[in-house]
Amino acid sequence: MALSTPTPSPAQASAASVAEPVHWVRVALDVPLNGLFDYCSATHIPPGTRVIVPFGRRKLVGVVVATPAAPAVDAKLIKPVDEILDDTPPLPADWLRLASFAAQYYQRPLGEVMLPALPAGLRKVSAYQGKRSEGGPVKRMDKRAKPAGKPAQADTPPLLNSEQTAAAQAIAGQQGHKTILLHGVTGSGKTEVYLHAAQAVLAQGRQVLLMVPEINLTPQLEQSLRVRLAGVGVGESLAVMHSGLSDGERLRAWMRAQRGEARVLLGTRLSIFAPLPDLGLIIVDEEHDASYKQQDGLRYSARDLAVWRARDRNIPVVLGSATPSLESWNHAETGHYLRYTLAQRAKAVALPAIKLVDTRRLALEQGFSPQLIKALGERLEAGQQSLIFLNRRGYAPVLNCTSCGWVSQCPRCTAYTVLHRAGGRRNILQCHHCGFQARVPHACPDCGDQDLKPMGRGTQRVEEHLAELFPDARIARIDADSTRLKGSAAALFAKVHAGEVDLLVGTQMVAKGHDFANLGLVGVLNADAMLFAQDFRAPERLFAQLMQVAGRAGRHVKGGEVIIQTDYPEQSVYQALLRHDYQGFAQYGLAERQAVGLPPYAYQALLTAEARELATALGFLAEARQLPDQHAQDYPTASALTLYDPVPLRVVRVANIERAQLLVESDNRPALQAFLTTWSAALADVAKAFRVRWNLEVDPLEI
Ligand code: ADP
Ligand code: ZN
Ligand code: ZN
């Protein structure tokens, strides 16, 4: 890694001439410069300690990563550390290794990995220096010690069935590192397996990290965990960590994890960076879920980092899913992962019957087939809940003039604006890419005609139509719009669980993980939209999503049913779904990927450029593509790679910025890694010349 040091001001340049023996420290800072920065100190500072250091005219919090015997630049240029932050123990050595690996693998400066992973209070100078900083954030937090909540009542755990027992014992009995793929159909009781395995690990005095893809899945699991922990006498030793926490709550969870007070940490992807000194087991629930991938800044996969962290700590990691990613499935097929299967539902209910309704020759009523309407009526009669799944929020995806063909378009993006209805003047057209909002015009801006029609439908419109069809039913809608306020998602889900809702309309937010007790029917609208997406992972995602949402039906009531409306019932994705045949789907999907050399049979990286003009973005990428030819000696592994032609993104303009990308591929991961390290260092200069913003994503999920 290149070493650089901030240019010192003349007045500070002789800092190293202090009388005491000098200790050198190498510090990671959150600055967009590749490299680490050397400072000096009168006392030894162990690696993992946070320090405040001068940087140019500013002061920054950094993390000491090494204590070299000599500095990398002229000692006279080196400034002293301003303050040693010892109100927390140093970050553990394995945390430093994890961050270093992530930085190296995802091609990011170490400081840009480490500092953003810390709770806000631990990385802000103002939390320590300045008017309102008395004692620092940790002391202030400890003073505000929270009264312990009422301990949960222990329950009697269900007796595991033989499949669950085998899986739980295999996990708990694991000596050392192993990745265990727990492939369990929806409702097969994977959670019970996690809880049993976790108990065994807790009994050995070790910590457990349990990751879920979505915040909304935490409350239900938190409850089960509290109950179960009460049963094994570790009472209030649970901590929860996700992006919905306040800074204070996040800091508290972090400190409880690092101090070992939290024995179980339940969290979303960011919890993979929590310090857990006694970590003994990592569980990644719904491991296939795209939410484990961070989509900006450090674009890491928390699932992949979990596997790395478990190997580094020599502990087992469990990846659970009803529809594992093809990457993980392939690892199991080739024997790298141990696989346990839960083929049966845990309760004495069968998997729901899946039906395809061929909509090609049907007269639909506002998108509903007669079959679906009839089935909804029957479930209402029977006093059961139904879920309508539609992955599109808003009222209608576009507004259209029937006389001249005008469509509502975002002025800043190559995308339509979506109609959102809130009644009267509060109806708006909103861009889902940049957030642009406009009033709904009374008349067509092009021809003046007043006959503007919403085209297609989103969750709002479906909700409205359900209310017309079933005026007596209690209807709820759960999507990003209806859950914007803090706590509103939890409140809506609580209503569903309490049986105060008959018909539930929702996006993918409702598809995942939830255990609805009285839900009998799932109806799927507009699934075809994903069928012909450009991305090679689209069929895999569609299959997983439909399997997930189907799995919400009939978990506790008999006769669960799923109705999928489609124009393409013969498509292999739907045919595999009909048979609940993940294995067949995976086998077919892997064979296809292998035939054309796509992941998991190849490794990819994606270079994306953003500029005012598309030509600039494409020009930068073209230049980037030339680099290995122009400097062949620096890229010894280039011959093992394919660099594709730069292409505009599908939605090329967002917020007046044009975007293009270049795909790099290889069947040799080390060769790709070696290439990316050299390449990304060189790209910074090229980007400056072109004045583009760029980012490099390793293992991209969407192309
Ligand atoms: P999954 O996560 O695999 O979809 P869950 O863990 O949510 O499934 O389990 C589905 C339901 O079955 C839950 O209500 C759970 O309490 C119940 N369950 C799990 N294991 C058993 C068991 N061995 N006996 C009875 N019920 C069980
Ligand atoms: Zn018009
Ligand atoms: Zn826009």
Side-chain angles (χ1 to χ4, degrees):
M1 202 172 255
L3 284 160
S4 38
T5 192
T7 321
S9 63
Q12 294 173 303
S14 57
S17 59
V18 280
E20 304 99 295
V22 175
H23 299 263
W24 308 107
V25 289
R26 194 152 288 166
V27 178
L29 295 173
D30 187 7
V31 291
L33 293 173
N34 235 322
L36 299 167
F37 304 89
D38 285 358
Y39 293 88
C40 61
S41 160
T43 54
H44 169 74
I45 310 177
T49 306
R50 290 166 308 112
V51 288
I52 294 178
V53 294
F55 187 79
R57 287 161 189 276
R58 292 185 292 163
K59 282 183 187 174
L60 293 174
V61 172
V63 177
V64 173
V65 295
T67 50
V73 292
D74 185 351
K76 285 206 282 299
L77 298 177
I78 290 184
K79 297 188 227 172
V81 164
D82 201 73
E83 188 177 343
I84 301 171
L85 306 178
D86 53 7
D87 54 342
T88 69
L91 291 153
D94 77 308
W95 189 92
L96 298 176
R97 287 197 300 274
L98 175 70
S100 301
F101 168 76
Q104 195 184 19
Y105 187 79
Y106 294 110
Q107 308 293 333
R108 278 282 193 160
L110 187 52
E112 283 190 3
V113 174
M114 285 184 167
L115 278 307
L118 302 178
L122 298 186
R123 61 180 142 88
K124 276 204 216 127
V125 175
S126 61
Y128 289 93
Q129 299 185 345
K131 279 194 230 87
R132 306 177 41 173
S133 61
E134 35 8 301
V138 178
K139 289 221 174 70
R140 291 202 301 277
M141 176 196 84
D142 285 337
K143 250 189 261 164
R144 289 191 311 262
K146 263 192 168 168
K150 223 175 48 209
Q153 278 291 318
D155 68 344
T156 326
L159 230 49
L160 296 191
N161 62 37
S162 59
E163 286 181 333
Q164 286 173 311
T165 307
Q169 284 180 350
I171 299 162
Q174 214 41 248
Q175 303 291 323
H177 171 67
K178 195 75 204 173
T179 306
I180 297 141
L181 181 64
L182 182 62
H183 175 222
V185 300
T186 54
S188 59
K190 292 186 284 296
T191 313
E192 277 306 324
V193 174
Y194 303 152
L195 294 176
H196 274 78
Q199 270 181 48
V201 173
L202 291 171
Q204 298 160 13
R206 310 190 74 178
Q207 290 172 301
V208 176
L209 171 61
L210 171 50
M211 292 204 287
V212 291
E214 268 213 45
I215 296 179
N216 297 312
L217 290 171
T218 52
Q220 207 172 22
L221 206 49
E222 190 180 340
Q223 187 51 30
S224 323
L225 275 166
R226 286 202 191 283
V227 165
R228 201 53 60 81
L229 292 174
V232 294
V234 272
E236 292 303 296
S237 66
L238 173 69
V240 180
M241 201 182 270
H242 54 66
S243 60
L245 299 183
S246 67
D247 286 353
E249 292 167 326
R250 177 95 164 262
L251 177 63
R252 186 178 300 275
W254 176 279
M255 290 312 301
R256 291 185 64 217
Q258 182 169 9
R259 288 167 173 168
E261 291 163 20
R263 305 314 296 171
V264 178
L265 179 64
L266 168 65
T268 52
R269 64 171 177 262
L270 56 86
S271 62
I272 191 59
F273 286 110
L276 292 157
D278 307 320
L279 186 60
L281 172 67
I282 307 178
I283 299 163
V284 185
D285 191 24
E286 315 286 5
E287 67 89 25
H288 66 279
D289 200 291
S291 307
Y292 285 118
K293 186 74 194 278
Q294 165 103 350
Q295 288 302 354
D296 51 27
L298 177 75
R299 294 169 185 240
Y300 64 94
S301 157
R303 190 259 328 267
D304 293 349
L305 287 183
V307 172
W308 191 90
R309 191 172 184 182
R311 176 155 10 97
D312 179 64
R313 293 210 49 142
N314 198 28
I315 58 171
V317 53
V318 180
L319 309 181
S321 177
T323 53
S325 64
L326 290 186
E327 280 79 1
S328 297
W329 191 253
N330 186 50
H331 281 312
E333 293 280 284
T334 52
H336 291 120
Y337 291 176
L338 214 56
R339 176 169 45 201
Y340 280 84
T341 305
L342 311 179
Q344 306 295 326
R345 278 198 159 175
K347 300 224 159 143
V349 285
L351 282 169
I354 297 184
K355 293 171 189 159
L356 299 174
V357 172
D358 185 344
T359 42
R360 272 170 303 193
R361 280 175 288 277
L362 279 181
L364 298 184
E365 198 181 326
Q366 287 269 3
F368 285 86
S369 63
Q371 289 93 322
L372 183 51
I373 294 174
K374 179 162 172 279
L376 286 168
E378 287 167 3
R379 297 288 162 170
L380 278 171
E381 284 283 294
Q384 289 180 12
Q385 294 172 319
S386 298
L387 163 65
I388 298 294
F389 172 66
L390 172 68
N391 222 350
R392 192 188 262 167
R393 64 192 174 86
Y395 188 83
V398 61
L399 192 65
N400 166 241
C401 169
T402 45
S403 32
C404 79
W406 172 87
V407 285
S408 57
Q409 191 108 40
C410 176
R412 318 190 321 149
C413 308
T414 43
Y416 297 131
T417 49
V418 177
L419 176 62
H420 286 256
R421 281 215 172 155
R425 293 165 63 89
R426 304 213 323 280
N427 292 348
I428 53 160
L429 290 167
Q430 188 193 62
C431 174
H432 286 186
H433 294 273
C434 74
F436 169 86
Q437 292 194 351
R439 285 263 187 79
V440 179
H442 297 295
C444 173
D446 282 0
C447 75
D449 196 301
Q450 300 211 341
D451 198 15
L452 298 179
K453 288 234 156 64
M455 282 204 326
R457 63 191 57 77
T459 44
Q460 262 192 332
R461 196 174 192 179
V462 167
E463 179 188 20
E464 179 184 283
H465 190 61
L466 280 174
E468 287 163 17
L469 283 170
F470 304 103
D472 295 332
R474 297 164 299 172
I475 303 173
R477 171 168 57 91
I478 300 189
D479 58 24
D481 297 313
S482 72
T483 57
R484 224 170 269 293
L485 298 176
K486 193 174 175 178
S488 56
L492 276 168
F493 279 113
K495 268 177 84 171
V496 179
H497 288 301
E500 292 162 20
V501 171
D502 303 313
L503 301 177
L504 176 61
V505 182
T507 55
Q508 56 178 347
M509 274 184 74
V510 296
K512 300 173 188 177
H514 297 280
D515 194 25
F516 299 121
N518 191 32
L519 198 120
L521 171 70
V522 169
V524 181
L525 307 183
N526 202 36
D528 293 343
M530 273 180 72
L531 203 52
F532 300 109
Q534 298 287 315
D535 195 322
F536 72 89
R537 283 195 177 86
E540 178 184 352
R541 264 202 296 273
L542 177 60
F543 184 86
Q545 201 165 60
L546 293 183
M547 207 61 153
Q548 278 296 321
V549 70
R552 299 316 106 206
R555 292 169 79 84
H556 302 265
V557 296
K558 288 211 161 54
E561 181 185 20
V562 181
I563 294 181
I564 301 172
Q565 298 189 167
T566 171
D567 281 351
Y568 307 92
E570 70 289 345
Q571 283 287 322
S572 58
V573 174
Y574 294 129
Q575 288 301 314
L577 267 167
L578 275 185
R579 303 188 304 267
H580 295 273
D581 185 11
Y582 169 79
Q583 290 206 30
F585 176 79
Q587 204 173 1
Y588 174 83
L590 281 174
E592 235 179 20
R593 301 259 185 101
Q594 188 160 32
V596 291
L598 281 168
Y601 304 98
Y603 306 98
Q604 298 179 325
L606 193 62
L607 176 62
T608 306
E610 302 183 341
R612 289 266 162 209
E613 307 285 336
L614 180 60
T616 314
L618 287 169
F620 163 74
L621 294 177
E623 184 77 14
R625 191 168 183 260
Q626 296 292 321
L627 284 174
D629 293 335
Q630 292 163 350
H631 308 275
Q633 72 286 358
D634 298 340
Y635 298 91
T637 66
S639 62
L641 314 176
T642 310
L643 277 73
Y644 289 90
D645 284 331
V647 289
L649 261 69
R650 193 176 51 79
V651 178
V652 59
R653 184 163 40 91
V654 167
N656 290 325
I657 299 293
E658 308 269 346
R659 308 167 318 157
Q661 64 185 26
L662 185 168
L663 180 67
V664 187
E665 201 173 78
S666 177
D667 57 7
N668 180 333
R669 201 202 288 274
L672 177 63
Q673 280 290 314
F675 172 85
L676 293 178
T677 303
T678 317
W679 203 43
S680 61
L683 286 174
D685 284 339
V686 185
K688 248 184 235 141
F690 277 82
R691 298 164 143 249
V692 297
R693 282 177 45 143
W694 62 285
N695 72 69
L696 186 61
E697 183 174 2
V698 180
D699 303 331
L701 273 188
E702 269 174 81
I703 293 165

